[in-house]
Amino acid sequence: MTIVLASRNLHKLRELERLFDLPHIQLRSALDLEGAPDPEETGVTFAENAAIKAEALMRFTGEWALADDSGLCVDALRRPDGIEVPGVYSARYCGRHGDDGANNAKLLADLDALEAAADGAPVSRRCRFVSALALVAPDGRVFHAEGDCPGTLLRAGRGSNGFGYDPLFLPDGYDRTFAELPSEVKCTFSHRAVSARAMRRILLELFPAP
C-alpha cells in the first residue's frame, strides 16, 4: 500500500515513517512527482490547511494522499476573534516563507511590545506546538488527526538540533528546548508524535496489517 505525502521534505517523510512504524504502508514524497501541486494554504486552522494540501495531491495522483500542517500558537498573541498566532502563519510570520531567524525575531519582538504596552508587567509566554494530519481517499473521504505539545516560549534561543521555533520552545516537564533534545527523545512526545499516533490508528483500521 502506497500513500503519497504532500511534502517535499524528506526529513518529514522519514519521521512519519518512523512514527507510523507500518511496514505494509509506504509513504512516497511529492518530491518524486513532477508537477505535483503546491496549493495556496487558505485555511484558518491547521486541519483545514492539511486537508487542502492532501486533497490537491489526491486529485493530481488519484491515490491516497496525506498532508500535515503544523505551527506554534502563543496564548498572549491570540487575536480577539480567536485566531491563533503565529498559528497557520508560523512558517511565514515575518512575511517571508521559511526564514526561521526572522520569524523568531518577530515573535520575540511582538511579545516585547506587549510587555512594553503593559508598562513592563509580565506577559504570559505560554504556548503550544500543534500538528494536524489529513488523509484523503481517492473517493474524497477525509480523515483527520491532531496533536499538540504545551510549553513556554523563552526569551532567547537555545540549541541547534531543530528548526523553526524549536530553539525558543521549552516543553512542559523538560529543562531543554526542542532544539536541545535528541530527536529520539523529542519524537516520543512532540505534537507530531501525538498526531502520528492518532493517524496510525486510523491507518490500521483502513489497512490492517497482513
Side-chain angles (χ1 to χ4, degrees):
M1 175 64 199
T2 299
I3 296 174
V4 289
L5 179 64
S7 173
R8 292 171 173 81
N9 186 329
L10 294 179
H11 171 77
K12 184 177 295 185
L13 182 144
R14 300 305 175 207
E15 182 180 24
L16 286 172
E17 284 182 332
R18 182 172 63 252
L19 291 169
F20 288 156
D21 190 24
L22 296 172
H24 67 294
I25 296 177
Q26 178 184 4
L27 293 183
R28 184 183 181 195
S29 171
L31 190 65
D32 301 328
L33 305 171
E34 184 177 353
D38 188 14
E40 184 178 359
E41 298 174 26
T42 56
V44 297
T45 67
F46 296 110
E48 289 175 358
N49 278 341
I52 287 170
K53 291 183 281 190
E55 287 172 347
L57 190 58
M58 181 278 291
R59 289 193 296 270
F60 179 76
T61 63
E63 301 178 29
W64 285 84
L66 177 71
D68 92 304
D69 197 54
S70 58
L72 183 71
C73 299
V74 180
D75 290 357
L77 297 177
R78 184 182 292 111
R79 290 175 12 186
D81 59 5
I83 298 295
E84 304 269 26
V85 178
V88 296
Y89 303 104
S90 291
R92 54 189 188 278
Y93 190 47
C94 68
R96 299 183 300 277
H97 194 282
D99 189 335
D100 292 348
N103 286 333
N104 285 330
K106 175 172 170 52
L107 185 59
L108 293 176
D110 287 350
L111 286 171
D112 286 346
L114 282 181
E115 289 190 344
D119 294 325
V123 170
S124 171
R125 303 182 83 84
R126 293 295 299 165
C127 57
R128 73 189 197 286
F129 268 119
V130 178
S131 167
L133 289 168
L135 177 69
V136 178
D139 62 10
R141 286 175 295 157
V142 183
F143 303 87
H144 289 281
E146 191 163 310
D148 66 5
C149 182
T152 301
L153 198 73
L154 300 182
R155 295 182 180 274
R158 294 185 347 216
S160 58
N161 183 34
F163 60 93
Y165 302 99
D166 285 1
L168 294 174
F169 182 77
L170 186 70
D172 287 354
Y174 290 82
D175 59 5
R176 288 183 289 177
T177 68
F178 260 9
E180 293 176 309
L181 287 167
S183 298
E184 58 269 21
V185 173
K186 186 170 71 171
C187 74
T188 63
F189 71 94
S190 72
H191 50 304
R192 186 165 291 120
V194 176
S195 64
R197 282 196 292 269
M199 181 57 72
R200 185 181 191 276
R201 292 192 290 270
I202 293 171
L203 289 169
L204 281 173
E205 290 176 4
L206 292 167
F207 314 108

